[in-house]
Amino acid sequence: MATTTPPDSLESLWSSLSAAPVPELKSAQQIQAKANDPLAKLRRNIRINNGYGIIFGLLFIALFVYFDFFWVRFFIGILLLGFALSTVYNSYLIRKVLLTPAADENILIRLRLIHYRMKKALQTIEIVALFFYPFSLTAGFIMALAEAGKLDKLSTEPLLQGLLIACFIIIVPICYFITKWMNKIAFGKEIAKIHDLIVAFESTEEDG
């Protein structure tokens, strides 16, 4: 003869369901909160770079006023233009690129865009810096000659010309790799965090 067990009460079923582990869901709000941390640090580091740029800009303005030589002022003027462009570009990154994703927008697309734009921005800065390094070296070189009263010798002495060219060949590549290394220290970790968030978000969407 078959026997039946009385069904569990609704209260006991509810208790067992409540006690069961609930898988963690990565909501848009959670992703937004996690994304804000590296974005805030990137904005802070860019502002620090702008601060250093302003300090060096003021130093070059003082040199521009101090040295009353056309070529010294010409090369320093180009460097000042570079600092101004760098400040404007950094401000653009802060205002237009490194915005915290809104909760109602597609955060994955936004994070992909930020990751791509920041990597391209750093590459652009490193390449453009290659244009300004020779001007910086030349400015320092002719400032030393001007201070010694020998600026006219640069156009007549092959030894000085060769020394300047050697500085270009040796120092410019070194400065380029130093710039890449400094960008990696200042921005690389936070850009990697954004990449990890993208991977995590993509994994969540695939599982869903």
Side-chain angles (χ1 to χ4, degrees):
M1 180 175 175
T3 60
T4 59
T5 20
D8 293 332
S9 66
L10 289 175
E11 290 80 2
S12 61
L13 285 173
W14 180 256
S15 299
S16 63
L17 285 173
S18 300
V22 179
E24 180 186 0
L25 296 177
K26 293 186 178 179
S27 65
Q29 288 78 11
Q30 288 174 307
I31 296 291
Q32 181 192 28
K34 289 183 179 179
N36 191 43
D37 179 54
L39 292 179
K41 289 182 179 177
L42 285 172
R43 289 192 293 264
R44 180 199 65 189
N45 291 348
I46 289 177
R47 288 189 179 101
I48 291 172
N49 272 9
N50 269 352
Y52 283 123
I54 291 171
I55 292 171
F56 281 107
L58 293 173
L59 174 62
F60 277 103
I61 289 174
L63 292 173
F64 185 91
V65 173
Y66 176 76
F67 284 96
D68 189 17
F69 298 95
F70 170 78
W71 286 111
V72 174
R73 288 184 169 179
F74 174 79
F75 287 110
I76 290 178
I78 292 176
L79 295 178
L80 287 172
L81 175 63
F83 282 120
L85 292 175
S86 174
T87 302
V88 171
Y89 188 60
N90 286 342
S91 300
Y92 163 78
L93 292 176
I94 292 172
R95 291 184 295 104
K96 299 296 185 181
V97 177
L98 296 175
L99 298 175
T100 301
D104 59 347
E105 74 173 307
N106 190 313
I107 297 177
L108 178 57
I109 292 177
R110 183 64 184 170
L111 290 178
R112 282 174 176 163
L113 179 63
I114 291 171
H115 183 262
Y116 173 80
R117 299 275 299 268
M118 279 305 301
K119 286 181 71 71
K120 287 297 180 182
L122 295 182
Q123 291 173 2
T124 301
I125 290 169
E126 291 160 4
I127 292 172
V128 170
L130 280 173
F131 172 79
F132 286 98
Y133 292 142
F135 289 103
S136 179
L137 285 170
T138 305
F141 202 83
I142 62 178
M143 275 192 288
L145 291 176
E147 193 70 12
K150 299 178 180 179
L151 185 56
D152 58 313
K153 293 184 178 293
L154 183 59
S155 59
T156 58
E157 298 225 1
L159 179 62
L160 289 176
Q161 297 167 359
L163 185 59
L164 180 58
I165 293 172
C167 287
F168 292 160
I169 295 172
I170 297 171
I171 297 178
V172 168
I174 292 174
C175 290
Y176 172 75
F177 286 110
I178 289 175
T179 301
K180 286 182 70 72
W181 175 69
M182 292 179 68
N183 278 342
K184 186 176 181 180
I185 291 175
F187 307 108
K189 183 178 178 182
E190 310 311 324
I191 292 176
K193 283 183 182 178
I194 293 174
H195 179 264
D196 291 343
L197 280 172
I198 293 171
V199 172
F201 206 3
E202 288 173 339
S203 174
T204 301
E205 287 195 340
E206 288 173 3
D207 292 343

